[in-house]
Amino acid sequence: MALLPILCYPDPKLHQVARPVQQVDARIEKLIADMLDTMYDAKGVGLAATQVDVHERLIVIDISEQRDRPLVLINPKLGWTSAEKRVNEEGCLSVPGIYDGVERFDAIEVLALDRDGVSRTVEADGMLAVCIQHEMDHLLGKVFVEYLSPLKRNRIRTKMLKLQRGERD
Ligand code: K1U
Ligand code: ZN
């Protein structure tokens, strides 16, 4: 088991655009295992490779209560999206302690490789759809606070920088 350090906002590396995974080999299998360990340890429901400073298109998710249903999406691509959108409360392991509403598609289809390198189509709604969209944004270098107003985002940025310097609020 290896726990990977998670980048914290406003680290500029969170804005790097990930490149496609070329081959699902032993290196990627180890990265998947380490990302799952890191996500479970941090009590998150998802994690994108970008957050652990690996700029390749790979995400892991587990929204199950028992934390025993990992979903691995390699080179995910959005297929169809619902006409309806909804605002959901989101959090992020890279922006600890901050939660706010973000509008996302209600339901989506995602085409991706699984951890065995096999092409899959995933249809998702509810929390799974929210989580996949949030993690796919990370791969594009986008953090959920970028959907918030500049005023809120600047406050969050200042708060995070203070936290990282060990200062109180
Ligand atoms: O990307 C990440 O940092 C993981 C993130 C995923 C996520 C949670 C909620 C909405 C969208 C995406 C988290 O796991 S944040 C921590 C968490 O477990 C959580 C926070 C809010 C609601 C539900 C779960
Ligand atoms: Zn996040």
Side-chain angles (χ1 to χ4, degrees):
M1 163 161 172
L3 298 181
L4 306 170
I6 298 176
L7 298 175
C8 267
Y9 185 81
D11 192 318
K13 287 183 276 196
L14 283 168
H15 302 303
Q16 209 165 308
V17 178
R19 59 188 178 275
V21 170
Q22 292 299 328
Q23 209 181 340
V24 184
D25 54 14
R27 180 183 67 86
I28 292 294
E29 282 166 23
K30 164 101 171 83
L31 177 60
I32 292 167
D34 291 348
M35 283 176 60
L36 284 167
D37 288 343
T38 304
M39 177 190 74
Y40 289 129
D41 181 74
K43 312 223 171 339
V45 290
L47 190 69
T50 305
Q51 293 175 277
V52 293
D53 205 13
V54 176
H55 302 280
E56 294 179 66
R57 293 186 57 81
L58 164 61
I59 65 183
V60 298
I61 289 175
D62 192 342
I63 60 160
S64 70
E65 290 247 324
Q66 307 295 325
R67 317 287 281 147
D68 60 356
R69 302 208 51 193
L71 175 68
V72 175
L73 299 175
I74 299 169
N75 296 339
K77 275 198 188 131
L78 209 51
W80 60 258
T81 55
S82 59
E84 301 78 30
K85 289 185 167 184
R86 191 186 297 259
V87 175
N88 305 276
E89 187 88 342
E90 296 194 14
C92 182
L93 297 174
S94 295
V95 199
I98 304 292
Y99 300 88
D100 215 320
V102 176
E103 188 178 62
R104 304 276 190 192
F105 296 115
D106 232 1
I108 55 170
E109 176 193 59
V110 179
L111 314 168
L113 301 180
D114 67 14
R115 61 194 305 174
D116 299 315
V118 176
S119 293
R120 303 273 179 207
T121 302
V122 178
E123 292 186 9
D125 60 8
M127 184 63 192
L128 182 58
V130 172
C131 199
I132 293 175
Q133 290 173 83
H134 175 111
E135 302 309 334
M136 285 181 70
D137 268 355
H138 275 304
L139 300 180
L140 296 172
K142 188 159 184 173
V143 180
F144 86 104
V145 298
E146 288 165 62
Y147 290 101
L148 309 179
S149 69
L151 180 66
K152 274 192 182 177
R153 196 163 58 243
N154 272 323
R155 283 190 179 148
I156 292 167
R157 186 188 167 85
T158 305
K159 188 174 172 173
M160 289 297 125
L161 287 171
K162 274 188 182 171
L163 265 177
Q164 286 158 34
R165 288 196 297 258
E167 292 170 28
R168 287 164 52 101
D169 238 351

